Amino acid sequence: MTLSVPLPLLVGQGLPPFDAITPEQVEQAIPALLSELNESLSALEATLELRLGQSESLRWEEVMEPLHQLGERLRWSWGVVSHLNGVCNTPALREAHQQQQGAVVQFGNRAGQSRAIYRALKALQANPSQLDATQMRILGAELRDMQLRGVGLEGQEQQAFNAACERLAELATAFGNHVLDATNGWSLTLNSEDELAGLPASLRQLLAQAATDAGESGWRLGLDMPRVVPFLKFSERRDLREKVYRAQVGRAASGELDNNPLIAQTLELKLKQAQLLGYANWAEVSLASKMAGSVHEVEGLLEDLRAAAFPVAQQELAALAACASRHGAPEAAELKPWDVSYWAEVLRQESFELNSEALRPWFSLEQVLQGLFVLCQRLFDIQIVAADGEAPIWHSDVRYFRVLEACNGEPLAGFYLDPYSRPGSKRGGAWMDECLGRSRSASGEPVLPVAYLICNQSPPVGDTPSLMTFDEVETLFHEFGHGLQHMLTTVERPQAAGINNVEWDAVELPSQFMENWCYDRATLMGMARHWQSGELLPEAEYQKLLAARTFMAGGATLRQVHFALTDLRLHSQWTPESGESPDQLRRQIAATTTVLEPIAEDAFLCAFSHIFAGGYAAGYYSYKWAEVLSADAFSAFEEVGLEQEEEIVATGRRFRDTVLSLGGSRSPAEVFEAFRGRQPSSEALIRHSGLVAA
C-alpha cells in the first residue's frame, strides 16, 4: 500500500512537522508505512537470496544501505510518535501509540530474524579484505544483535520469542504510563502559612502557580521533581514531609495503576527469552553487547564501590542525627527517610554556609546556556546559535539551536531543548534522543544530526525566569554531553555515527564528563550571574560549592549501587519459582546497600522506569561503569592544569577528535586509549567521589 500524498508522519526525512501529526494520523500512517516496508523487505530478501546463489561476492552497498534505509524510515516515523508520547502525552495519542506498537515490534522481529539478511551479513564478513575496520565492527554488531533477536530460533520457539517481544513492549509502555499517571494523579493543597514553614520563596511561587493553574487558591504540591525535591529538603513540617515521601515512594503500586504485576511479568518474559536464546538469564543477554564481560565482573565493581561507600554513608547518617539533636528535634533518636534531605540541607548550610536554594538567582537558564555554549566553543571549537522560529516545535517551551564550526561557520548539527517540567503531559527525568542522525539522503546530500535534549527543571513563574538549582545545572550539562557525541560525530557510516553502536555501559562517558565542568572556575564563574543585578557569583560561594561537592557522597554512591545491584540481581537471580517477590529480593539487597531500611510502603521498583520502561534492564550499572571512564577523561584536563588555557584547548580538541568524533566506529576501549594514551583507571572516580579515606 502506497499513499499518493504522503501524510506528514510519512515524510521520512528532515525535521518532523510536529504540530501536523495527530493521533488519527498515527492510526492511518503507521499501518501504511509497515505495509510498504514489509514489501520492501521481501524484495530485498529475494534479491539477496539470488545474489547469494551467484559466484561473485556481495558488496556492502547491496546489503547495508537498503537495510539502513528500511530501518531509518521506520525510525523517523515511529520515533516521532514515541517522542511526542513522551513530551506531549494525551489519552488519544497514548491509545494510538499502543494500538500500533505491536505491529512495529512484529516488523522489527521479522527484519531481525531474516535468514536471508543474516546469510548476507555472514557473506560480507567472510570477505574482510573489502571492508574497513568500521564496517567490520558494524557487521559484528549486526550479526550479534540478530542472534540476540532470535534469528537462530525456529518454529514454536521463534513464535514464543516474538510473542514475548510484543508483550514486553506493551508492558514497558503501560509501566511508563502508570508512573506518569500516578505522579500526576496525586496532589496536596496547602492553605496556611504554617504549612509553608521553611519553604523558600521560589518554591512558594511555584506551588502558588500550580494552584492557580488548577483553579484553586493556596499552594498546590505535586510529586514532580521541581516540587517534591525542594519540599522534602526545606519543609519544617515533618508530618507533611512524611505524607509527601510516602506518596512518592508508593507511586504506581496499587489500584488500576499497580505496576507490581507488570514487573513480575516483565522479569518472567525476559528470563524466558534468555533461555530460548541459550543464556541462563537476561543479565547474560544484556552483557553480551556491553563492555563488561560478565555478571561477576559487574558485581565486582559494585562491591568495590559498596565497600568504600557503606561506612561513609553510616558516618553521614550519624552526622545527620547529631545535627538534628543539636537542634532539639525529636527525630534525632530515630531518623526516617523523610528526614534525610531536610537535615542534610541543614547540615550543609552549617558546614559550608551554603544555601543551595539561595544560589538559584545566579543560575537563570539563559545564563547557564551561555556558559555551556562558551565552554563548548573553548573546548571543541564550535559555535552554538539560537535558531528559534527556524524549526517546527511541539510546545511553546521548546527552543531550537544550530551548531556551527567556529572557525568558518560551517553547519554541523542542530538540537531542540525542551527544558521545563510539565507534569500532566511530559514524563519525568531528563534524556537525549535522536531526531536526525548523521547520514546521506537518497540523492547523496549530507544529513546533519539533530538531537532532542529534554529536561524537567523548574519553569518560569510570572515575570521570574527559570532559576535553576545547581543539580539542574549539572543535569543540563549531562544531557548536553550525550548531545555532543551525537552532533559532533565525523563517522560517515550511519550505523556507527554518534551514539550508534556505542556499548551501553560506555555511552554515559561524554555526559558524565561534561558534569565535571560545572565546578571548573572559568566555566562556573562565566555563567553564574544574578539574573536581576548581573552580579557575579561571590568567590566565597564558589569555594563553598567546591567544598560541598562530595558532601553526602557516601550515601549518593550507595544509592546508585543499590539501584544497580537490584537491577542486576533481578535479571540474574530472580525466578518465578524462587518463592519471593521482586520487592522481597530488593529488600534483601537493601540490607547491605542502604543505611536506612526501606519503609513498608516503599514500592521503589514500581517507579523504576529506567529498567522497566527505559531500556536499562540489567544495565543500570552502566552509570557507574562509565563514570570510571568519564572521571579519568576529565583528569586529563586536571593533569595539564585547568588554568593552562593552551593545554586545555589542545586537550579539548583531542577529546572532540576521539570520544565525540569516533562514536561507535571503534570499541570504547580503543577510543578511550586514543584520547588518554592508556587504559582507564578508577583512581580519579574514587578521588572525585571523596571516598579515598574510606
Side-chain angles (χ1 to χ4, degrees):
M1 173 181 177
T2 304
L3 297 174
S4 56
V5 179
L7 293 165
L9 190 54
L10 296 182
V11 172
Q13 60 185 359
L15 298 176
F18 301 103
D19 58 356
I21 294 169
T22 63
E24 294 76 22
Q25 191 183 136
V26 173
E27 295 168 357
Q28 181 184 1
I30 297 301
L33 174 64
L34 290 173
S35 175
E36 192 175 326
L37 292 179
N38 272 299
E39 290 178 11
S40 298
L41 179 58
S42 295
L44 175 61
E45 288 175 319
T47 300
L48 292 177
E49 289 284 11
L50 183 64
R51 289 286 287 110
L52 285 165
Q54 298 171 350
S55 57
E56 61 196 78
S57 59
L58 278 168
R59 301 189 317 277
W60 177 272
E61 293 75 16
E62 293 178 275
V63 184
M64 299 306 293
E65 290 189 5
L67 258 186
H68 170 69
Q69 289 164 9
L70 278 174
E72 178 58 19
R73 288 188 62 198
L74 181 60
R75 188 210 65 78
W76 192 96
S77 297
W78 188 244
V80 177
V81 179
S82 299
H83 171 70
L84 290 175
N85 200 43
V87 295
C88 293
N89 193 289
T90 66
L93 180 60
R94 180 185 296 188
E95 178 66 22
H97 179 272
Q98 289 175 343
Q99 284 181 358
Q100 303 305 322
Q101 188 174 48
V104 172
V105 173
Q106 286 174 7
F107 177 78
N109 284 342
R110 187 193 158 194
Q113 294 168 354
S114 167
R115 295 293 178 86
I117 291 173
Y118 187 75
R119 288 175 58 214
L121 294 177
K122 293 289 282 186
L124 283 178
Q125 194 183 47
N127 283 287
S129 60
Q130 301 179 16
L131 306 172
D132 60 32
T134 298
Q135 290 171 305
M136 287 298 291
R137 181 167 152 80
I138 291 169
L139 271 181
E142 290 281 355
L143 287 164
R144 178 201 65 216
D145 290 347
M146 289 191 76
Q147 290 160 5
L148 296 181
R149 288 198 296 261
V151 71
L153 301 177
E154 295 181 353
Q156 290 185 340
E157 286 191 339
Q158 191 174 80
Q159 291 174 15
F161 184 89
N162 291 346
C165 285
E166 292 180 43
R167 181 59 182 150
L168 283 167
E170 293 172 0
L171 290 169
T173 299
F175 188 99
N177 287 338
H178 286 180
V179 175
L180 178 65
D181 291 346
T183 302
N184 192 40
W186 186 93
S187 66
L188 177 65
T189 301
L190 310 177
N191 295 300
S192 68
E193 279 290 331
D194 178 61
E195 292 175 310
L196 304 178
L199 301 190
S202 62
L203 181 56
R204 289 179 177 225
Q205 291 170 352
L206 187 59
L207 301 185
Q209 184 71 55
T212 300
D213 293 345
E216 298 179 348
S217 58
W219 299 266
R220 186 180 173 94
L221 191 57
L223 296 179
D224 53 293
M225 300 302 276
R227 286 187 285 177
V228 75
V229 170
F231 187 85
L232 291 172
K233 185 183 288 188
F234 293 105
S235 175
E236 295 175 4
R237 285 285 300 269
R238 192 187 190 209
D239 59 329
L240 293 179
R241 294 201 310 268
E242 178 180 355
K243 190 171 188 176
V244 171
Y245 180 86
R246 288 184 183 277
Q248 189 194 34
V249 299
R251 283 179 300 161
S254 61
E256 294 182 355
L257 302 179
D258 187 0
N259 272 339
N260 278 298
L262 276 61
I263 290 170
Q265 286 183 58
T266 298
L267 293 172
E268 191 169 352
L269 284 171
K270 284 187 176 294
L271 176 61
K272 181 179 179 181
Q273 281 194 315
Q275 291 170 342
L276 285 169
L277 292 172
Y279 292 88
N281 51 62
W282 184 260
E284 290 187 1
V285 176
S286 171
L287 293 174
S289 59
K290 294 182 172 66
M291 280 185 77
S294 65
V295 172
H296 177 74
E297 195 174 347
V298 176
E299 289 250 8
L301 170 68
L302 295 177
E303 175 55 24
D304 288 347
L305 292 171
R306 190 207 67 81
F310 193 83
V312 179
Q314 288 179 311
Q315 294 162 15
E316 290 167 351
L317 189 65
L320 296 185
C323 179
S325 180
R326 288 196 300 274
H327 287 264
E331 59 260 36
E334 186 182 6
L335 287 178
K336 296 292 187 182
W338 49 87
D339 299 320
V340 172
S341 292
Y342 177 78
W343 288 110
E345 183 60 24
V346 173
L347 185 58
R348 184 202 309 270
Q349 293 188 34
E350 286 184 358
S351 302
F352 309 103
E353 297 181 343
L354 178 66
N355 183 335
S356 57
E357 189 65 21
L359 293 181
R360 276 187 192 262
W362 274 271
F363 295 108
S364 70
L365 174 60
E366 193 58 41
Q367 282 295 141
V368 172
L369 284 176
Q370 288 308 308
L372 174 58
F373 298 166
V374 167
L375 172 67
C376 289
Q377 182 159 354
R378 177 190 178 204
L379 295 182
F380 311 128
D381 199 28
I382 59 175
Q383 183 182 7
I384 299 169
V385 296
D388 298 306
E390 296 182 16
I393 58 175
W394 55 90
H395 191 278
S396 57
D397 288 347
V398 177
R399 300 193 61 191
Y400 187 72
F401 296 86
R402 288 186 290 116
V403 181
L404 313 173
E405 199 75 74
C407 58
N408 57 18
E410 177 189 350
L412 294 172
F415 67 91
Y416 286 99
L417 175 65
D418 186 351
Y420 309 130
S421 172
R422 295 189 296 274
S425 62
K426 182 179 177 183
R427 70 178 173 91
W431 66 93
M432 171 265 164
D433 205 352
E434 175 181 336
C435 177
L436 300 175
R438 180 183 172 100
S439 61
R440 290 193 177 273
S441 68
S443 62
E445 292 297 310
V447 175
L448 298 181
V450 176
Y452 297 125
L453 297 172
I454 315 297
C455 297
N456 264 284
Q457 68 195 50
S458 308
V461 178
D463 295 330
T464 305
S466 175
L467 301 178
M468 304 170 70
T469 65
F470 195 69
D471 285 345
E472 290 172 343
V473 174
E474 288 184 291
T475 297
L476 177 61
F477 272 61
H478 177 105
E479 298 307 332
F480 203 77
H482 285 307
L484 287 168
Q485 188 172 36
H486 175 69
M487 295 186 288
L488 298 186
T489 187
T490 57
V491 178
E492 289 294 334
R493 304 203 178 275
Q495 301 92 335
I499 60 174
N500 291 328
N501 207 38
V502 177
E503 280 78 348
W504 195 276
D505 44 6
V507 81
E508 297 292 336
L509 191 173
S511 56
Q512 293 174 333
F513 164 81
M514 286 298 290
E515 289 183 45
N516 290 285
W517 293 98
C518 296
Y519 294 91
D520 170 56
R521 174 186 293 278
T523 304
L524 184 69
M525 300 303 270
M527 68 183 173
R529 290 180 177 274
H530 197 283
W531 74 278
Q532 289 169 306
S533 67
E535 172 195 356
L536 283 173
L537 182 73
E539 173 67 21
E541 296 300 311
Y542 169 60
Q543 293 299 330
K544 292 174 190 175
L545 273 173
L546 291 183
R549 184 176 184 181
T550 59
F551 179 67
M552 302 295 289
T557 299
L558 201 59
R559 182 172 182 266
Q560 288 298 97
V561 170
H562 175 67
F563 292 168
L565 202 54
T566 298
D567 166 41
L568 191 68
R569 291 185 180 168
L570 282 174
H571 290 99
S572 63
Q573 296 182 9
W574 186 85
T575 67
E577 297 77 34
S578 62
E580 61 183 3
S581 68
D583 180 67
Q584 287 171 324
L585 176 59
R586 179 246 169 159
R587 289 177 184 274
Q588 287 179 20
I589 295 166
T592 57
T593 57
T594 63
V595 290
L596 271 182
E597 183 182 356
I599 62 173
E601 300 92 327
D602 188 333
F604 155 71
L605 289 180
C606 289
F608 199 179
S609 296
H610 272 80
I611 69 170
F612 294 115
Y616 273 84
Y620 194 86
Y621 78 90
S622 299
Y623 284 101
K624 281 300 174 190
W625 188 276
E627 204 173 348
V628 170
L629 307 177
S630 63
D632 198 2
F634 185 73
S635 70
F637 293 82
E638 294 176 316
E639 287 167 11
V640 300
L642 293 174
E643 306 298 328
Q644 303 301 315
E645 188 62 17
E646 192 173 325
E647 287 83 354
I648 290 296
V649 167
T651 309
R653 299 296 189 275
R654 194 167 76 250
F655 189 84
R656 175 182 170 178
D657 293 340
T658 52
V659 176
L660 300 181
S661 170
L662 297 175
S665 67
R666 295 162 67 178
S667 74
E670 285 182 79
V671 172
F672 186 90
E673 189 163 352
F675 168 65
R676 202 67 174 92
R678 57 166 174 75
Q679 287 298 294
S681 161
S682 61
E683 180 275 329
L685 174 59
I686 294 171
R687 174 168 51 83
H688 289 171
S689 301
L691 302 177
V692 176

